[in-house]
């Protein structure tokens, strides 16, 4: 199924696929034609699956494997996952990758870990045992507290580059502190899923957290890259134990598998990793990733560029350099299609979606409020709405309206960036929904930019592997850019119908917001 990477499926373990992609081997990475038997492993733990890639030293993809996760537990504003299951999934993906490397005579030079960012939990630092579920980045149980400190939004934005919302870890940490008895223990550490996994994988006695994931706690100062004690006090978290901060490129420790032991050289957030996997490493390079959520990101170089309503954050860091990004998020991309399929029953297979979009002829517009609206609007608890149905309307019109709604959200993000002088010449695009030709063409039309569809779909796992290679010294940022970018550009065209529906969609958004506020 085309979009299965990002949607909730069964917990079936899929068979790995061995890939011969010699076309991806670039002479830039290693001079000469000799193919070394060295490799890197990239692991990406997403919301619905764990992916692993084994990348050869010349850049060729040797192995791609995936394990689906059980759907998260959802109840009202709560979205939870099981920490032990997630850790087991990552370990299994590592075991399979390590076995493949050993059986094919490859030496693993290092591992990179990419992880869903604001998802967090508490655990016993001495034993590594989780003491709470994983509170997903989509979990908004901290919304009431966020509303109470709304006047502190400008102060938080100045320090972190992030708007005040319940999607980040800080309000979730406060809920855990107030509601989980074990939170009071001296050995209890509060951290992101990435820091929990890092300690579990390496067996380190101490918890650490990389700068990219720490930025999404909303407790780290984005310029000093240090825990901000004023923010910790503001979120009423004084006295909690936080992991030690470290660059995204670091020697985190050694991972042991049945097939050997290798260093964990990089840990990074999934969307930051996706940028690396797309080759977005130069200032003003742009990328779009359509996953469970959608993300539009632009590299801003060594400078933090805060923009109201958007997220300015660290891209990656090392002992001698740091790179920043500007980001906007769409909270329901793959989730929106899963809702149409599983809850509304509008289609059975995701392979039908592209054809439905091309066959639609009406003017229906669909506003999706699942999981809230994301940037630059940041609304929680907003309804979804549909407008423009006629006697001639059909399922295809609703499906196309939903797909176009995702593109409309991206358009809002791009416009917010443009107003602040941030505007890439083109975007590299990835994710399960990037396989929808209608979405890619429509998005290019709306943005008036070329979209270059990435040759690979597992760009976060690829980015994690590439970052490990960067820390090892095998690759430079420019060589990563040359390796990752590819594909023929899809040029934007004038689309009067799409522009009209965009204006109507914005009005539908406004009306929906007002209706939700009515007593």
């Amino acid at each position: 199924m085309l979009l299965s990477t990002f949607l909730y499926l069964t917990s079936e373990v899929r068979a790995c696929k061995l890939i011969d992609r010699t076309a991806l081997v670039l002479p830039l990475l290693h001079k000469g034609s000799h193919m070394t038997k060295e490799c890197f492993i990239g692991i990406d733990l997403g919301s619905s699956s764990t992916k692993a890639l084994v990348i050869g030293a010349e850049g060729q993809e040797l192995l791609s494997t995936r394990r689906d996760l059980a759907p998260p537990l959802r109840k009202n504003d709560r979205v939870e996952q099981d920490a032990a299951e997630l850790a087991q999934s990552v370990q299994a993906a590592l075991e399979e990758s390590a076995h493949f490397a050993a059986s094919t005579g490859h030496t693993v030079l290092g591992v990179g870990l990419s992880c869903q960012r604001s998802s967090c939990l508490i655990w016993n630092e001495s034993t590594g045992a989780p003491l709470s579920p994983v509170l997903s980045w989509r979990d908004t149980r901290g919304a009431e507290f966020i509303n109470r400190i709304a006047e502190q939004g400008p102060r938080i934005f100045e320090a972190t580059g992030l708007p005040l919302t319940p999607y980040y870890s800080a309000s979730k940490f406060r809920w855990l502190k107030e509601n989980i008895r074990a939170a009071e223990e001296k050995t209890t550490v509060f951290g992101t899923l990435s820091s929990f996994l890092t300690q579990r994988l390496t067996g380190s006695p101490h918890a650490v957290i990389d700068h990219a994931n720490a930025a999404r706690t909303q407790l780290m100062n984005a310029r000093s890259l240090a825990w901000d004690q004023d923010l910790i006090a503001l979120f009423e978290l004084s006295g909690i134990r936080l992991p030690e901060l470290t660059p995204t490129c670091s020697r985190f420790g050694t991972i042991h598998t049945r097939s050997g032991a290798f260093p964990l050289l990089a840990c990074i957030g999934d969307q930051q990793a996706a940028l690396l996997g797309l080759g977005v490493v130069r200032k003003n390079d742009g990328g779009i990733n359509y996953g469970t959520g959608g993300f539009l990101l632009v590299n801003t170089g060594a400078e933090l560029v805060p923009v109201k309503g958007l997220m300015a954050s660290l891209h990656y860091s090392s002992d001698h350099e740091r790179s920043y990004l500007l980001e906007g998020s769409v909270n329901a991309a793959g989730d929106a299609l899963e809702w149409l399929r599983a809850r509304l029953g509008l289609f059975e297979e995701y392979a039908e979606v592209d054809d439905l979009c091309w066959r639609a002829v009406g003017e229906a517009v669909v506003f999706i409020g699942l999981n809230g609206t994301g940037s630059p609007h940041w609304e929680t608890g907003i309804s979804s709405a549909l407008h423009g149905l006629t006697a001639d309307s059909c399922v295809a019109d609703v499906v196309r309206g939903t797909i176009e709604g995702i593109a409309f959200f991206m358009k809002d993000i791009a416009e917010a960036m443009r107003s602040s002088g941030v505007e890439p010449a083109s975007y590299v695009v990835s994710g399960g929904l990037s396989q929808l030709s209608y979405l890619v063409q429509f998005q290019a039309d709306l943005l008036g930019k070329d979209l270059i569809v990435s040759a690979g779909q597992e760009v976060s796992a690829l980015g994690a592997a590439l970052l490990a290679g960067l820390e090892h010294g095998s690759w430079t940022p420019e060589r990563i850019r040359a390796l990752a970018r590819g594909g023929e550009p899809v040029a934007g065209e004038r689309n009067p119908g799409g522009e009209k529906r965009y204006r109507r969609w914005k009005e539908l958004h406004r009306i929906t917001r007002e209706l939700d506020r009515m007593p």
Side-chain angles (χ1 to χ4, degrees):
M1 291 185 289
L2 284 175
L3 307 181
S4 58
T5 302
F6 301 103
L7 307 174
Y8 306 134
L9 306 174
T10 65
S11 56
E12 170 188 1
V13 176
R14 297 188 175 186
C16 68
K17 54 175 181 175
L18 304 186
I19 300 178
D20 179 14
R21 290 191 176 172
T22 54
L24 295 181
V25 179
L26 296 188
L28 285 173
L29 292 175
H30 284 270
K31 294 181 179 179
S33 59
H34 177 65
M35 300 284 284
T36 65
K37 299 288 279 186
E38 297 170 335
C39 64
F40 294 91
I41 297 174
I43 302 290
D44 173 44
L45 175 59
S47 300
S48 56
S49 62
T50 298
K51 284 84 68 176
L53 289 179
V54 179
I55 304 298
E58 289 80 15
Q60 73 279 20
E61 185 178 317
L62 303 173
L63 173 79
S64 174
T65 184
R66 164 191 170 122
R67 283 169 166 74
D68 292 315
L69 300 169
L73 176 65
R74 289 174 175 261
K75 185 177 181 181
N76 299 323
D77 56 356
R78 301 187 180 191
V79 186
E80 299 178 353
Q81 292 181 280
D82 181 79
E85 180 204 357
L86 300 184
Q88 183 181 23
S89 174
V90 171
Q91 186 66 47
L94 279 166
E95 291 286 354
E96 182 177 352
S97 300
H99 175 74
F100 167 81
S103 64
T104 55
H106 286 82
T107 299
V108 179
L109 299 180
V111 177
L113 174 65
S114 158
C115 198
Q116 46 177 297
R117 295 174 293 182
S118 299
S119 300
C120 61
L121 71 158
I122 57 175
W123 68 94
N124 186 309
E125 188 177 35
S126 298
T127 66
L131 301 173
S132 76
V134 175
L135 276 57
S136 168
W137 60 274
R138 293 166 288 181
D139 187 291
T140 58
R141 70 185 69 185
E144 182 179 350
F145 177 78
I146 292 296
N147 291 335
R148 282 170 43 196
I149 63 170
E151 72 280 359
Q152 298 295 329
R155 158 76 179 91
I156 294 168
F157 181 75
E158 171 61 27
T160 66
L162 303 173
L164 180 60
T165 85
Y167 296 106
Y168 301 123
S169 304
S171 64
K172 298 177 178 43
F173 284 161
R174 185 185 177 280
W175 188 93
L176 290 167
K177 181 184 178 184
E178 295 294 316
N179 291 277
I180 304 295
R181 181 173 298 179
E184 301 174 358
E185 301 295 330
K186 291 183 179 180
T187 57
T188 297
V189 62
F190 290 67
T192 59
L193 181 56
S194 63
S195 55
F196 167 73
L197 290 172
T198 298
Q199 186 179 14
R200 287 277 290 235
L201 291 173
T202 63
S204 171
H206 303 294
V208 299
I209 185 171
D210 67 278
H211 290 144
N213 281 293
R216 283 312 205 266
T217 65
Q218 216 160 38
L219 298 176
M220 186 189 80
N221 187 291
R223 295 177 178 83
S224 67
L225 304 187
W227 293 125
D228 189 312
Q229 296 304 316
D230 289 341
L231 292 179
I232 291 171
L234 190 154
F235 281 98
E236 301 179 7
L237 293 170
S238 297
I240 71 167
R241 186 182 186 88
L242 291 167
E244 180 183 349
L245 289 161
T246 189
T248 55
C249 295
S250 297
R251 303 275 168 161
F252 288 90
T254 302
I255 296 174
H256 294 273
T257 72
R258 291 188 293 271
S259 302
F262 349 95
L264 178 60
L265 300 180
C267 187
I268 190 170
D270 52 4
Q271 297 309 313
Q272 283 94 331
L275 272 193
L276 287 162
L278 294 173
V280 178
V281 294
R282 286 182 185 169
K283 185 176 180 178
N284 289 328
D285 281 350
I288 296 175
N289 193 20
Y290 299 108
T292 299
F295 302 87
L296 189 152
L297 311 98
V298 178
N299 185 301
T300 60
E303 180 184 7
L304 182 74
V305 183
V307 174
K308 184 178 180 180
L310 302 180
M311 301 166 283
S313 192
L314 188 80
H315 182 192
Y316 68 91
S317 62
S318 68
D319 288 334
H320 55 276
E321 68 173 328
R322 64 179 68 171
S323 175
Y324 289 95
L325 58 85
L326 186 61
E327 174 184 350
S329 64
V330 179
N331 285 356
D335 263 358
L337 285 186
E338 173 66 358
W339 181 64
L340 294 187
R341 186 194 68 83
R343 302 292 293 181
L344 301 186
L346 297 191
F347 56 87
E348 294 183 358
E349 301 291 338
Y350 295 107
E352 302 172 43
V353 171
D354 207 29
D355 182 59
L356 287 169
C357 289
W358 286 112
R359 288 197 288 111
V361 294
E363 293 295 325
V365 290
V366 180
F367 175 80
I368 298 294
L370 301 178
N371 304 326
T373 55
S375 49
H377 310 288
W378 298 112
E379 300 149 328
T380 58
I382 190 169
S383 300
S384 297
L386 167 64
H387 175 75
L389 293 184
T390 70
D392 296 323
S393 297
C394 61
V395 165
D397 296 313
V398 178
V399 173
R400 186 187 70 175
T402 302
I403 290 296
E404 289 186 347
I406 297 168
F408 293 153
F409 273 123
M410 291 291 186
K411 170 77 168 175
D412 280 358
I413 295 167
E415 289 298 321
M417 290 188 179
R418 180 180 298 150
S419 66
S420 301
V422 177
E423 186 175 7
S426 62
Y427 293 91
V428 186
V429 186
S430 68
L433 275 68
S434 70
Q435 298 176 58
L436 300 177
S437 63
Y438 184 88
L439 174 59
V440 174
Q441 183 63 66
F442 188 77
Q443 190 76 79
D445 296 347
L446 274 183
L447 299 180
K449 305 288 184 183
D450 287 354
L451 299 189
I452 303 167
V453 180
S454 172
Q457 293 302 310
E458 307 302 350
V459 291
S460 291
L462 173 61
L466 293 174
L467 193 64
L470 184 69
E471 169 64 13
H472 182 269
S474 295
W475 299 315
T476 64
E478 280 304 304
R479 288 180 176 179
I480 287 176
R481 188 178 193 271
L483 168 66
R485 295 174 77 90
E488 292 296 321
V490 176
E493 301 173 356
R494 184 85 168 89
N495 189 334
E499 293 163 7
K500 174 185 174 183
R501 291 193 293 278
Y502 175 56
R503 294 192 298 270
R504 295 175 65 198
W505 177 87
K506 289 183 73 68
E507 186 66 11
L508 180 61
H509 180 186
R510 183 191 66 79
I511 292 170
T512 302
R513 184 168 55 237
E514 291 184 359
L515 287 173
D516 283 343
R517 291 172 179 169
M518 291 180 65

